[in-house]
Amino acid sequence: MLGINQLSIRLGSTFTALFGVTTPWTPSNITTSAWFDAADSSTITESAGAVSQWDDKSGEDRHVVQSTGTWQPTTNAATLNGLNTISFDGVSQRMSTAASASWLNNTAFSVIAVSIADTYASENRILACFGNTDPLS
């Protein structure tokens, strides 16, 4: 099972690390292409803990969805650093962009994630592409 608390994706090859900052850093401090925050319950659409949509906080409307009930990850089942997580079973649970993720094509990008895996296997991925090629393997 993989619990993810925050996931930010930034396009481009430049990333600025901030050290000695007195206020907490958040992805809003940089331009993000997608930002998913499990601690923000207003961004999670769920029924009995099963997550059908996780809203993007970047302002780009790149929400992720899962309409198949058995493939939906869960929320409010685990915490990481005292904050809610979205938990994936590492087998069948996954979420996908509602539309083509062409904004990732031919573009350098960075992924910043706060996550923990209960078990480790080759299937534990934060991002994956499905189709003719899988550049994120």
Side-chain angles (χ1 to χ4, degrees):
M1 182 177 292
L2 180 65
I4 298 176
N5 177 261
Q6 282 203 24
L7 173 63
S8 291
I9 301 170
R10 180 188 173 158
L11 298 180
S13 59
T14 304
F15 178 76
T16 303
L18 303 174
F19 298 96
V21 178
T22 57
T23 57
W25 180 88
T26 72
S28 65
N29 295 112
I30 61 173
T31 302
T32 56
S33 298
W35 172 15
F36 304 98
D37 182 356
D40 184 351
S41 62
S42 70
T43 66
I44 301 167
T45 303
E46 57 92 12
S47 177
V51 178
S52 58
Q53 181 166 320
W54 194 2
D55 291 343
D56 169 25
K57 292 177 64 169
S58 74
E60 299 293 334
D61 293 326
R62 294 180 171 138
H63 313 308
V64 291
V65 297
Q66 182 51 260
S67 58
T68 304
T70 57
W71 293 355
Q72 292 175 344
T74 57
T75 189
N76 300 319
T79 62
L80 180 61
N81 299 327
L83 300 171
N84 182 55
T85 64
I86 303 287
S87 298
F88 296 81
D89 66 6
V91 178
S92 62
Q93 293 175 339
R94 58 185 171 267
M95 302 194 84
S96 302
T97 55
S100 169
S102 60
W103 50 277
L104 287 174
N105 291 347
N106 301 314
T107 305
F109 62 91
S110 299
V111 176
I112 303 163
V114 177
S115 66
I116 190 167
D118 295 336
T119 58
Y120 294 93
S122 61
E123 293 81 21
N124 289 357
R125 298 179 184 175
I126 293 175
L127 291 176
C129 289
F130 298 98
N132 294 335
T133 61
D134 190 352
L136 300 175
S137 291

